[in-house]
Structure formats: structure tokens, C-alpha cells
Amino acid sequence: MTVLFVDIVGSTRLVERLDPEDVRALQRAYFGTVASVLRRWRGVVEKYVGDAVMALFGASGSDGLDAYRAVRAGLDIQAALARRRPAGVRLRVRVGVATGEVLLDLAGVRDGGHGAASGAVITTAARLQEHAPPGGVVVCPVTRDAVAGLVEQRPLATLTLAGKALPLDVWRVTGAAGSRPARHRTPLVGRRREVASAADEVSRALRERRPRWISLVGPPGSGRSRLLHEVTRAVSSVDGVPVRVRVTACPPYPCGELAPLAGLVRPRPGGPAGDGPGGGALAAFLAAPDDDTVAARAVVACREALLGLAADAPLVVAVDDLDRAAPALRRFLHQLHVAADERGLPLAVVTTCGAGSADPLPAPARRIPLEPLDASDTGRLLRHLLHRAGRPAALAGRLVALVGGNPAVATAYASADPAGEPAGVPAFARRLVDARLDRLDGTHRAALLAGAARGGPVVAAAVEAMLGWPAGRAEPVLRALAAAGLVHPLAAGAWAVDALVARVAALRLSRAVRADFARRLRTAKDTAAGRVPGAGTGVPVRDADERDVCPLGAGRSRRSGGGARPAPVPPDRLDRSDPLRVVPGRPGQPVRAGPGVTQWPGRPGRVGRRRTEPGGHTLGLAA
């Protein structure tokens, strides 16, 4: 999860020179402004401490961009307070952002949750805020890596934070990143057929002067941006005529609906001016692309500028991450395609989008899917990456199964030793899997988490025993997970959870839930063998009339983030003679929540362990 801390600079001196009524007005304006920005970026206020605000990103569901949303919220808080000047006072604040593992009380995740999250990353975010310059936003190394390429940042210092054993590198974020071409340093492996197919479609459209739309479709990390780059390189000319290429990328949560369009119409150095009908509107848009009102006036001018380029020479319009674009940009591209077709211009539109995108494409169109790399290509890529990183090439054989044919995950595993990460999962891979898990509903996520906790081959009966489901319920759920690529069928009715997914899913479970799962499996085995459940194991046996409930709460009340409310599980308390030994106890007693952490939950069965880098929402992980 990503944690944001914001605090006022010099608040004590400020309050001392103001009348109490002015202080109250200032506080209301300050807290209202901060909370409004946090809500807009889907952050949740966890607590107010004096004039400091702590917020969580990823508590209500991860989209893989939780750290980015936290950083953008920090920048917007600074800008909003600078504009508003509550009570006529110029407020300056410091913002610290850190990403790491927390223990999250799902039932307490709401504005003013007060104690809903516990973990060292909270202290880190607070300490970073103390070292931020007035008006600045500073981030930890994990957050810095998560937002690389999406925001402008520069090294600030290497700090020794209070309570931290090792110095911490700190970066200051200065703003959202401008549009610039991505750097591709790894070799293209296993994608030659897709490049050839897309390049052939583009060449045919330009040669026949019949516009075509080519969509490169694949999950995050599959190499969509790299493929787009290779396709535009492959069609540098058609029949000896040079091809113009205009490329833009859609950032997550764009500031302006049509802002990425500026990258397509901005004149290139040494190229045509691109000034045509409505040149004044076009110039105004290029000067302020984030202004939606200015952009709306320039739509026609932008379209005519691109059509003019196509009339002069074959033109390829390439748009990366179109699934992030606002509807206005998609409409513009559709209208551009139709207008070019009506005029018979040599134009091709090439876009990339996620595998779940189902936007209708104007005919003629071609979707080119990017399937996972096979084991051979994955091994080749890993060996190259490991060699470049100075690591043993022999590691490739152990990593192939974890990478799952995803080039970006391969890069994450090979670039640095993830031994310091939980379960050895790099932060980038963790973000991808967390976002996939949070797109599942409660029932499917519960079955997947149970299978991950089970380890090895999973059968429907074991999932049903672990979750307290009736016979026959797990089989269709496992089939649906297989269709989503999260589990794979084995022989004899068994299933295997994807290796990387299993590691990440298992990290979401608290030790208490793991123990309860193990107890349920032992009980099911004892019952099948005709033995008294729990006999000789030291595990308490429930009364026959006591209802067994799912420890993950699957199928119960839904939560706003798409998860399910945790159902009660047998509460535990600490054995004071051994702080690592958990013994049966009464509700409301202290529960060991993690290394060095003790929780006193207000209600039993409401605490769960999870980690996201950045973000990630977990389904009712009761402890």
C-alpha cells in the first residue's frame, strides 16, 4: 500500500498569531481542501494528527497505479492550497509518500479510520514528510520506482531517518512527466510474427490509400509499447516514399481529455509547421493542452493539421495506452480515420491497449493479440537480461515459471535480486498481480487465495473444505479462474495456481487464516478417514451444531472495493510466555498481527495481512 503524509509548515507560529476563530476557519479550509484532493485521487483519510493528514492509496482496490495517484495527490494538494489561501493565509505544506507492507483492518477503511493500517511504512512516510522542503513532495525508493516515467523527479538526498537502521535514498517529485519516447534497451524476443503482421497492415493501408486501424492488444508488461516502436520503425518508407510517424502516449488519469493530442500535432523540428485552418486555435491548444475548453475549440484544427500531413505524405498516427484515454480522444481518432477514408488519404492508426479493452474499431481494422512468450523465448530473454545485470545465467531456469511469459516481469526479476522482497516477488510483478486479483469478485478471489494457501495441486474438494462451501461450488469457480489465466487445469480434476499469482496471493493471508485453513483441511481428512476430527492434534474441536463459516467471508456482504467483509473466525490471543505462539482465547484480546506488531481489534476477525507495491485491495483477510 502507498501511504501519504501531509503537514503544515510552521503551524505553531501560525496559530499563535491568529484569533481562535481565524484558526478554526483556517483548519476547516485546510482539511476540506486536502480531503477533497484525496477523494479525487481515490485516497482514503486514515487519521488526522494535529494538523497532519495521513491517507492510504490502494485500500479500496488496486489498479496498479496507487503510488502514482498518491504522488499526484501530493502535487495537487500543494497547488490547491497555493490557489485557495484559506483565511487569507498562505499555507505551505510538506508531503511524504512511501510504499510498503501494512496490516489493514478492512472494516475500518473509511475516512477517519484511525488505526486501520499498521506497519513500518507509515513511520517512513511520516519521517519523509518531516524532511521534505516546504511546498515539496518527496518519495521513498519503492515509490520512486513505481512512478518512474510518469512524473518528473530528482534525487534529493540520502537521509538517515529516525528509527531506521540504514540510510534511505529520497527523491523529490516536481510534476507530471511530459510526453517523451520510451527507451527500449532489451532485444526483441518472440514477437517477430506480430511485428510483421502489423507492419504489413500499415503498409497496405498507406499503399492503397485506404486508412486502416491496427490495435495491438495485450496485458500490462507484455511489450505493447515496444511492439508499437518496432512497427513504426518497420514502415519508415512505402514504395520509396518516406513515411511520417506521429506518436503520442496516454498517461494514467490525464489532466486534460485531449492533452495527448498535442504530441500528434506539435510541429517537429525541421518539419512542416502544421499550421492550417484554425491556426490560432491550434497554437492556443499547444500552449495549454490541459485546458479542456481550449482543446475543444482546437479539435477541428488538429484534425485538419493531421489530414494535411497525410495529404502531403503517408502518415502513421501511433497512440500508446489508448485504454487510458478519455472518450474525447477516442472520438477524435475515430473521426480522423473516417475523414481520411472519405478523402482517400494514406493514413494508418496504430494503437495499443489492454487485453480487456473491447472498444469498437472503425472498419477496416485488425486486432493483433500479444500472447505470453513461450518457455524457450522467455529463457532466451532472461539469460540476456541476467547477463546484462551481471547475474548467473543459470537463474533463468528457475525464473521461467515465475515470469509467465511476461517480458516486463522478466526484466523485474533479472534486473535486481528480489531476495529482500516478501516471497522474492519484485515490486513491479507484485503490482501487476495485485491489480489482477482486485478485478476479481469476492467469490473467485476467495477460491484463488485458498488455492494459493493450499500449495501444490488444488482440488475442488479442498477449496470447499477450506472455505466452508457446499460440495460442487468450487468446480465452476476454478474453471472461471482458468479462463482468466490464473489457474491451470491438471490431470484428474486438479488445478495449479499460476506460480507468480500463488506467491502474491499467499502474501495476502494472515498467519491466523493460514492456520485456520490448515485446521479445516485436517478436519476434512479426519472425517473422510472415519477419525474424530482434531483427535491427537491439540486443535480445539467445535460443537457439532456450530456453524462453520468461510474465513475469507466469500459470498457475504460486498464492500465498495469489490471485496467481501471478513466473517468471524476463532479469535486468538498471545501466550505471554511465548509471543510467537498463538493459543485459543477470547474475542477482543490482543492478536499478533505481524512481525513486531500487536493489534487490539475492536471486533474479532477484522484484521488481515497484505502487501502491495504500490496499492492493492485484499478480500476480507481475517486474522
Side-chain angles (χ1 to χ4, degrees):
M1 180 174 295
T2 297
V3 180
L4 176 147
F5 253 91
V6 55
D7 198 6
I8 298 176
V9 178
S11 59
T12 302
R13 293 192 302 272
L14 180 64
V15 168
E16 285 181 347
R17 64 183 177 85
L18 292 178
D19 182 85
E21 292 188 34
D22 294 329
V23 173
R24 173 61 61 85
L26 183 67
Q27 288 174 329
R28 286 178 173 172
Y30 163 66
F31 287 124
T33 299
V34 171
S36 175
V37 173
L38 292 173
R39 281 194 298 270
R40 187 167 70 248
W41 287 102
R42 291 169 51 196
V44 176
V45 175
E46 201 269 356
K47 63 167 63 77
Y48 298 94
V49 185
D51 49 58
V53 181
M54 171 185 159
L56 309 176
F57 289 80
S60 58
S62 174
D63 58 0
L65 294 164
D66 305 311
Y68 175 73
R69 289 188 286 109
V71 169
R72 288 296 305 272
L75 293 171
D76 282 4
I77 287 171
Q78 300 284 15
L81 291 173
R83 290 193 304 268
R84 185 168 182 179
R85 288 179 174 263
V89 177
R90 182 191 179 191
L91 281 182
R92 305 196 74 189
V93 297
R94 298 184 176 96
V95 177
V97 182
T99 301
E101 187 177 28
V102 303
L103 187 79
L104 182 66
D105 179 353
L106 293 176
V109 177
R110 59 187 183 276
D111 275 356
H114 299 290
S118 305
V121 66
I122 296 172
T123 304
T124 300
R127 295 288 182 266
L128 286 175
Q129 173 269 133
E130 294 171 358
H131 289 275
V137 177
V138 299
V139 299
C140 73
V142 178
T143 306
R144 183 256 181 191
D145 292 341
V147 300
L150 299 176
V151 297
E152 300 289 350
Q153 47 191 336
R154 57 183 177 81
L156 185 64
T158 299
L159 303 176
T160 301
L161 303 182
K164 293 290 183 181
L166 298 175
L168 192 70
D169 293 332
V170 177
W171 280 262
R172 179 177 182 178
V173 178
T174 57
S179 178
R180 55 177 177 266
R183 296 180 179 180
H184 304 287
R185 299 174 179 175
T186 58
L188 185 68
V189 175
R191 297 295 190 202
R192 298 189 183 280
R193 182 176 61 183
E194 289 89 343
V195 171
S197 178
D200 181 66
E201 294 284 348
V202 172
S203 298
R204 186 188 312 174
L206 301 181
R207 185 176 294 111
E208 297 176 357
R209 303 178 71 87
R210 187 184 180 194
R212 300 180 72 85
W213 189 304
I214 299 92
S215 180
L216 309 175
V217 182
S222 59
R224 301 178 313 209
S225 300
R226 175 62 184 276
L227 197 63
L228 181 69
H229 172 73
E230 294 297 334
V231 170
T232 55
R233 285 183 56 194
V235 290
S236 57
S237 66
V238 173
D239 297 334
V241 179
V243 173
R244 285 196 177 117
V245 178
R246 291 299 176 93
V247 183
T248 193
C250 301
Y253 305 100
C255 295
E257 289 194 343
L258 289 168
L261 181 56
L264 298 177
V265 298
R266 196 179 303 278
R268 299 295 189 267
D275 215 12
L282 183 59
F285 169 61
L286 293 177
D290 292 339
D291 189 322
D292 287 336
T293 302
V294 173
R297 297 194 190 106
V299 166
V300 174
C302 291
R303 184 167 64 244
E304 291 302 318
L306 290 173
L307 292 173
L309 291 176
D312 188 52
L315 176 66
V316 175
V317 173
V319 183
D320 201 7
D321 294 317
L322 185 62
D323 46 350
R324 297 175 175 174
L329 181 60
R330 295 188 184 123
R331 285 196 300 270
F332 175 88
L333 293 174
H334 280 248
Q335 293 166 357
L336 175 69
H337 184 275
V338 170
D341 187 42
E342 291 173 347
R343 302 184 192 184
L345 297 177
L347 180 142
V349 177
V350 186
T351 62
T352 70
C353 61
S357 177
D359 283 351
L361 302 180
R366 171 80 182 278
R367 291 183 186 270
I368 299 178
L370 276 64
E371 302 294 342
L373 300 177
D374 60 27
S376 175
D377 287 334
T378 302
R380 286 173 52 210
L381 178 60
L382 279 168
R383 285 190 292 273
H384 171 84
L385 294 170
L386 290 167
H387 175 75
R388 193 178 69 181
R391 303 179 64 197
L395 289 174
R398 292 160 46 191
L399 296 175
V400 167
L402 290 172
V403 167
N406 188 298
V409 175
T411 303
Y413 266 104
S415 60
D417 186 2
E421 301 286 353
V425 180
F428 174 82
R430 182 68 186 269
R431 293 196 298 273
L432 291 185
V433 177
D434 272 325
R436 292 183 70 187
L437 294 179
D438 283 344
R439 286 194 290 269
L440 299 174
D441 64 19
T443 298
H444 291 82
R445 193 180 315 136
L448 187 63
L449 293 173
R454 173 71 174 82
V458 179
V459 295
V463 172
E464 289 159 359
M466 297 168 77
L467 298 175
W469 284 358
R473 184 179 179 186
E475 185 72 23
V477 175
L478 290 170
R479 293 187 183 279
L481 292 173
L486 295 167
V487 304
H488 310 289
L490 301 175
W495 308 79
V497 182
D498 177 86
L500 179 59
V501 171
R503 290 194 176 192
V504 175
L507 287 173
R508 293 191 173 203
L509 298 173
S510 68
R511 292 197 295 267
V513 170
R514 293 171 187 263
D516 193 59
F517 276 157
R519 179 189 61 78
R520 290 167 182 261
L521 285 174
R522 285 195 302 268
T523 301
K525 291 178 181 178
D526 288 345
T527 302
R531 297 190 296 267
V532 177
T537 64
V539 179
V541 181
R542 292 186 178 187
D543 294 334
D545 60 347
E546 184 178 353
R547 184 183 177 193
D548 214 8
V549 296
C550 165
L552 295 181
R556 298 188 178 273
S557 57
R558 297 293 298 272
R559 296 186 62 75
S560 62
R565 183 180 297 277
V569 297
D572 300 312
R573 66 175 172 80
L574 292 179
D575 180 355
R576 296 300 180 186
S577 64
D578 181 358
L580 297 181
R581 178 169 171 263
V582 180
V583 297
R586 299 187 304 277
Q589 292 297 314
V591 174
R592 184 73 169 213
V597 180
T598 299
Q599 290 283 1
W600 285 262
R603 288 175 288 177
R606 296 300 187 196
V607 180
R609 184 180 181 85
R610 62 186 287 267
R611 172 189 174 93
T612 64
E613 295 186 36
H617 170 63
T618 176
L619 161 76
L621 305 186

